[in-house]
Amino acid sequence: MTSVPQISHRNPGANTWSRRAAWASMIGAVADWYDFFIYGTASALVLGRLFFPGSLAQGTLAAFATFAVGFLFRPIGSVVFGHFGDRIGRKRMLALTLVIMGGSSTLIGLLPTHNQIGIAAPVLLVVLRALQGFAVGGEWGGATLLAIESAPNGKRATRSSVVQSGAFVGLLLANAMYLILSAVLPSDSFDAWGWRIPFLVSAVILGIGYWIRRGVPETPEFEAVKKQGLIKKVPLIAALKKHPIAVLTIIGMYLGPNVVTYIVLTFSIPFAKAQAGVSSTVLLTASLVAAGGSLITIPLAAKWGDRKGYLRVYLTGAMITVVFAFPFIWALSSGNAVNIVLAAVVMLVIGAAPMVAVQQPIFTDLFDAEFRYSGAGFSYGLGAAIGGMSPFVATALSQADGGKGMYPTLYLIGMVMISVVTGVLVRREIHRNHISGGLTEPTNVHPSAAVGDAVPHTTD
């Protein structure tokens, strides 16, 4: 691994700078993920009937297909932003992701519907959604590295988890906007212009996030890479040659929490409406409560991971989602508002949230600093592309099952079990070879301590 400086928790100045970097990562993530999530919510509520005329089921399926397009373009964005992020710096790429994301979202808010311009409407919608995916493909890698490469010893998960917290804040803002608008506006006004407001508001959030990120300096680890002359001509190729298994590890470990998140937050809305006539207000409220609760469990789980081991926290959350997968679908089918909210909270707050809280130090440390943005970002983007298709896949499976939830639930469990198996295999490799594998915080404990064992440290 590249020799880079580590920030000591005993240095007050470095700690202050580290906190600034973490806040910049979080606020920028809020802006980017707000834009990304408003599209998902709009897909479930209104985009199908406005841009894809036909039956309700066909329109919803088409809207979720365009939702998945954003995820398909995430690996492309991760390659482009990762390449330049590893060559010229993390900070510049993060500013650019905000501009592309905010601009695309604002244009969606101004886009005419199918009734106004015909087939051009869904075509332009797909193009703008692709640009959203392209931008967010560079967001995770850059924001995570800005936080984690500036984190003090023993706080890598705690500081980098703000990226996931920022994503949930973005979700809260997106769903809150639609919850308020759908509650105060008549349905015809909401369909005519109300749905556009959250997209147009993204221009304001973009400005705030861009201003904050512009004021944060480059990370110490990237500066060390430049100083040592380690910049790679094609960072992604170097990453894939040196760490090919790391790519599969990240994809496998990200599938589970990604699928759970989008099944709970996106697929559940049209499914519960079709199954039990549940109102959008109830479902958006469940998403808001679950996202708000995740803002509590994410930092707690990250702190637990820094102390007890990242994989222990990750696997605990994964098994919770497996156990409660069927109760969640049953709650949606019941139509009972209280059960729906509780089921969403369990799946997201105590299941998926702990998994994503500790994934940053696991994923980023699988690659050397000189090609980390490219390697980790590309792998994460591939996992996100596969998992992000889950609303489309789950909707198709539900239709194949006569509108019921058996097939979507088995799909969810299968994706989580892939993550569980990947995590267990990584844990065994840690114990077998006594290597970090990207699973330890930079402290004076042996790598195996990352999975819960206190072993005296030895240096290479």
Side-chain angles (χ1 to χ4, degrees):
M1 299 290 283
T2 304
S3 176
V4 294
Q6 297 294 346
I7 298 175
S8 172
H9 65 281
R10 297 183 180 89
N11 186 333
N15 237 332
T16 299
W17 187 91
S18 173
R19 284 192 292 269
R20 285 181 56 199
W23 277 110
S25 295
M26 179 176 181
I27 293 171
V30 170
D32 270 330
W33 285 103
Y34 166 81
D35 289 342
F36 205 69
F37 278 127
I38 55 175
Y39 190 98
T41 304
S43 295
L45 293 176
V46 70
L47 293 185
R49 60 178 178 270
L50 293 182
F51 288 87
F52 305 96
S55 69
L56 176 61
Q58 291 172 337
T60 300
L61 198 60
F64 279 158
T66 62
F67 180 74
V69 165
F71 286 90
L72 293 176
F73 274 80
R74 282 180 68 170
I76 300 174
S78 68
V79 170
V80 175
F81 287 107
H83 176 82
F84 291 103
D86 280 328
R87 288 186 58 81
I88 66 176
R90 289 56 162 127
K91 173 185 168 181
R92 295 180 186 179
M93 295 302 102
L94 283 174
L96 187 56
T97 64
L98 280 174
V99 172
I100 296 175
M101 176 63 81
S104 301
S105 297
T106 302
L107 289 175
I108 290 175
L110 299 172
L111 193 63
T113 64
H114 187 278
N115 286 340
Q116 295 169 314
I117 61 172
I119 191 64
V123 170
L124 289 172
L125 183 67
V126 170
V127 170
L128 292 172
R129 178 58 179 172
L131 284 175
Q132 281 191 323
F134 178 76
V136 86
E139 165 62 30
W140 179 87
T144 295
L145 294 186
L146 184 63
I148 206 167
E149 290 184 351
S150 309
N153 295 348
K155 293 186 178 181
R156 290 163 68 78
T158 301
R159 290 290 165 85
S160 61
S161 69
V162 300
V163 176
Q164 300 298 337
S165 294
F168 278 107
V169 172
L171 169 66
L172 277 171
L173 292 176
N175 278 6
M177 290 284 288
Y178 276 114
L179 179 62
I180 294 171
L181 289 169
S182 62
V184 302
L185 292 177
S187 59
D188 56 344
S189 296
F190 181 82
D191 285 1
W193 54 268
W195 68 272
R196 301 178 182 273
I197 294 176
F199 287 96
L200 298 176
V201 169
S202 66
V204 178
I205 300 176
L206 158 68
I208 297 172
Y210 182 83
W211 176 72
I212 291 173
R213 278 190 171 172
R214 288 277 294 177
V216 176
E218 192 53 78
T219 72
E221 292 195 30
F222 181 74
E223 292 294 348
V225 167
K226 287 199 301 182
K227 185 176 181 180
Q228 297 172 29
L230 297 174
I231 301 295
K232 304 296 183 183
K233 186 176 181 179
V234 185
L236 180 59
I237 299 299
L240 295 177
K241 284 183 177 179
K242 189 170 183 180
H243 303 293
I245 300 301
V247 176
L248 298 177
T249 299
I250 292 176
I251 292 173
M253 292 187 71
Y254 189 52
L255 273 180
N258 200 25
V259 168
V260 170
T261 298
Y262 287 107
I263 291 291
V264 173
L265 298 179
T266 305
F267 164 77
S268 65
I269 296 177
F271 176 80
K273 289 174 70 174
Q275 281 287 102
V278 181
S279 71
S280 299
T281 300
V282 170
L283 296 162
L284 288 174
T285 299
S287 296
L288 284 171
V289 173
S294 297
L295 293 177
I296 298 174
T297 55
I298 284 176
L300 292 176
K303 191 171 184 179
W304 181 27
D306 277 329
R307 291 181 176 180
K308 300 296 184 181
Y310 305 137
L311 282 173
R312 176 176 292 171
V313 176
Y314 179 91
L315 292 173
T316 299
M319 294 314 301
I320 288 172
T321 63
V322 170
V323 171
F324 285 94
F326 272 107
F328 171 70
I329 293 295
W330 295 335
L332 293 178
S333 302
S334 73
N336 184 286
V338 174
N339 289 342
I340 290 172
V341 173
L342 289 176
V345 166
V346 171
M347 289 292 286
L348 206 60
V349 176
I350 66 175
M355 298 173 74
V356 300
V358 295
Q359 69 184 16
Q360 284 74 222
I362 296 175
F363 294 172
T364 58
D365 283 358
L366 287 169
F367 293 93
D368 297 352
E370 59 263 35
F371 42 64
R372 183 175 291 154
Y373 200 150
S374 297
F378 174 69
S379 306
Y380 183 90
L382 283 177
I386 299 171
M389 297 177 67
S390 55
F392 174 78
V393 173
T395 300
L397 289 173
S398 178
Q399 292 181 12
D401 193 27
K404 305 203 181 311
M406 172 70 76
Y407 293 171
T409 306
L410 292 175
Y411 162 69
L412 184 154
I413 292 173
M415 294 298 101
V416 175
M417 288 309 300
I418 290 175
S419 294
V420 170
V421 171
T422 305
V424 170
L425 292 176
V426 170
R427 184 171 184 170
R428 288 180 177 176
E429 189 68 16
I430 297 287
H431 283 291
R432 182 183 300 116
N433 296 323
H434 298 292
I435 59 174
S436 75
L439 300 177
T440 63
E441 57 274 16
T443 60
N444 61 342
V445 294
H446 188 277
S448 296
V451 289
D453 298 328
V455 183
H457 173 65
T458 58
T459 57
D460 294 334

